[in-house]
Amino acid sequence: MTPVDEAGTNAETLSYAAGPDQPSLLDETIGANLERIAGCYPDNDALVECATGRRWSYAEFNAEVDVIARGLLGLGVGTGDRLGIWSPNRAEWTLVQYATAKLGVILVNLNPAYRSHELRYALNQSGCSVVVSAPSFKSSDYRAMLDEVAPDCPALTKIIYLGEPSWQELIMAAAEVPADAVARISATLQPDDPINIQYTSGTTGYPKGATLSHRNIANNGYFVTETIGFTEADRLVIAVPFYHCFGMVMGNLGCTTHGATMIIPSEGFDPAASLAAVQAEHATALYGVPTMFIAELDLPDFAGYDLSSLRTGIMAGSNCPVEVMKRCMTDMGMREVSIAYGMTETSPVSTQTLRDDDVEARTATVGRVHPHVEVKIIDPSGNTAPRGEPGEFCTRGYSVMLGYWQEPEKTAAAIDADGWMHTGDLGVMRADGYLTIVGRIKDMVIRGGENVYPREIEEFLYGHPDIADVQVVGVPDAKYGEEICAWIRLRAGAEPLTAKALRVYCRDRLAHYKIPRYVILTDDFPMTVTGKIRKGQMREESITKLGLQPG
């Protein structure tokens, strides 16, 4: 008998899917998992830091994690305390990540791009008692900012600077703590305990602290890399920041749950350093957001790098242009590269393409639902939409966060009574269960009553021979409500592109209401440190540049 929903609709035609229930979920804490994996693969490379030449086997990495954990205990840091980490990608970031996990200390990820007011808010909202920080990075003087905000953070009692005497004091404090202290504490922890707070980069108001458990992030890291066939033989270049789920979950935990190798190519993203790391370390996998892969492919000496060891990787964090994806598969040799989709609040991945999917599925969709996860697309009334119809993407399962730290009302607004996380993303589920993301609900442009999805226009404009990258936003218009504005980065040597010339290119290829009225040429786009485009900021800047302010 064919199942039907309450309205009598054939359930197989609805935008709902549940992932497989195998392999089983990891029912252990992050610390217990590291202990188990280190016992299985003690001599495997666990961590490599290219800039310094430092490397750790799993046995060495696990031992050093324990030293740092004992040092934290020696400084009075204990289970349930919040420890902020403020640093670019360094080996110590990863060591602290696992040391806090073994103690049940909640790691608070501080965005390396924070300024003083953002830092002050995150430290106070989370109640951090300790901060581990780099002294500085690029133009950011972390020490000066911490000196500025510390008097306003009553819970903050200790600041530890990497590479300085305070870091050595942490290591020395370990000597005063019994060797079995960490193991005894780890044995008291549970997989559902909170272990990580990540602040979401909201476009309005203060960010919210997504609170994640061992179960959330250990399993998500495991299933992300399980989906691309990771084993203990894989070696991953992690060019994305650790402070974000892409780095610390999909990257670090994706590796350590399989006995694979974490490779840090540089402190901040450097396209040449990333490819050099692939070559030097014979990496099998590479992570990045689309802008990172574009930068790597555009290197003048790209053809000179030996990338023959690459087989896979993940492109995520932003819309993935079809042409860029295809070049990664051919020019970079990442024939099993995967697209992943998710958000911080879901640990982060909910859907992913498979490594043996055909080219169309791996370039035109964000894949199918992950194991042990449910997804659905809902219409504005909250009902499950028919397959093929756009609506809000919702997800439910082990990966949904515990909640926003100390913000029950905002948690309830995001996670409904049935446990569904409402993402705010517009998605479409195809008849075959594969999903596409057509944009954010707030990014959708309504021009003269027509719903316009920027992603569709962007994908079309990537085919223009002079366009290297493009982002589309809506801007206010007295007649149509909104109009289309395309921000365009031209290829090197291309002639400037006018709005009139672009409209000619689009004519007879796009519906008239989708053709950009405005063009803004740019060398870069406003984006977060993780490479996500700030479309809200682009819209505001477009209004100013085009003189569209009301009145």
Side-chain angles (χ1 to χ4, degrees), residues 200-245:
T200 59
S201 52
T203 55
T204 59
Y206 284 107
K208 303 181 290 290
T211 307
L212 304 171
S213 68
H214 296 265
R215 187 185 304 280
N216 284 151
I217 58 178
N219 277 290
N220 207 258
Y222 173 72
F223 283 112
V224 163
T225 47
E226 186 75 6
T227 302
I228 54 175
F230 256 38
T231 71
E232 70 277 7
D234 279 289
R235 302 172 66 81
L236 171 64
V237 170
I238 306 172
V240 293
F242 288 153
Y243 102 90
H244 188 268
C245 273

Side-chain angles (χ1 to χ4, degrees), residues 106-340:
I106 300 173
L107 186 71
V108 179
N109 298 9
L110 301 171
N111 187 328
Y114 273 171
R115 311 315 293 171
S116 298
H117 72 284
E118 297 157 317
L119 174 66
R120 181 184 294 108
Y121 176 80
L123 293 178
N124 278 327
Q125 204 278 330
S126 62
C128 278
S129 58
V130 181
V131 170
V132 175
S133 176
S136 63
F137 179 59
K138 294 184 176 178
S139 62
S140 294
D141 187 340
Y142 294 162
R143 188 195 307 276
M145 283 187 273
L146 281 165
D147 286 346
E148 176 187 342
V149 308
D152 303 325
C153 301
L156 184 61
T157 60
K158 183 75 174 176
I159 300 173
I160 300 167
Y161 288 105
L162 300 178
E164 298 204 354
S166 54
W167 179 257
Q168 291 306 313
E169 290 170 12
L170 169 70
I171 302 301
M172 292 172 63
E176 306 302 317
V177 176
D180 66 345
V182 175
R184 285 190 282 109
I185 291 172
S186 291
T188 69
L189 306 179
Q190 298 299 317
D192 289 320
D193 291 342
I195 201 61
N196 184 221
I197 296 174
Q198 300 199 26
Y199 283 93
T200 59
S201 52
T203 55
T204 59
Y206 284 107
K208 303 181 290 290
T211 307
L212 304 171
S213 68
H214 296 265
R215 187 185 304 280
N216 284 151
I217 58 178
N219 277 290
N220 207 258
Y222 173 72
F223 283 112
V224 163
T225 47
E226 186 75 6
T227 302
I228 54 175
F230 256 38
T231 71
E232 70 277 7
D234 279 289
R235 302 172 66 81
L236 171 64
V237 170
I238 306 172
V240 293
F242 288 153
Y243 102 90
H244 188 268
C245 273
F246 203 169
M248 70 162 284
V249 178
M250 299 164 68
N252 292 344
L253 286 164
C255 285
T256 59
T257 52
H258 286 88
T261 304
M262 302 169 280
I263 301 169
I264 305 173
S266 52
E267 290 190 337
F269 175 64
D270 180 320
S274 297
L275 297 189
V278 171
Q279 177 176 292
E281 293 297 329
H282 306 290
T284 60
L286 174 64
Y287 280 3
V289 299
T291 52
M292 292 178 175
F293 284 107
I294 290 169
E296 290 158 355
L297 289 161
D298 284 351
L299 285 172
D301 60 345
F302 171 78
Y305 291 95
D306 180 0
L307 309 180
S308 58
S309 59
L310 279 180
R311 70 165 182 87
T312 190
I314 291 175
M315 189 188 296
S318 184
N319 290 342
C320 305
V322 171
E323 293 306 314
V324 175
M325 182 66 158
K326 288 179 178 177
R327 285 195 66 194
C328 289
M329 296 171 66
T330 56
D331 299 355
M332 299 182 80
M334 298 169 64
R335 56 198 177 278
E336 297 178 12
V337 66
S338 177
I339 291 281

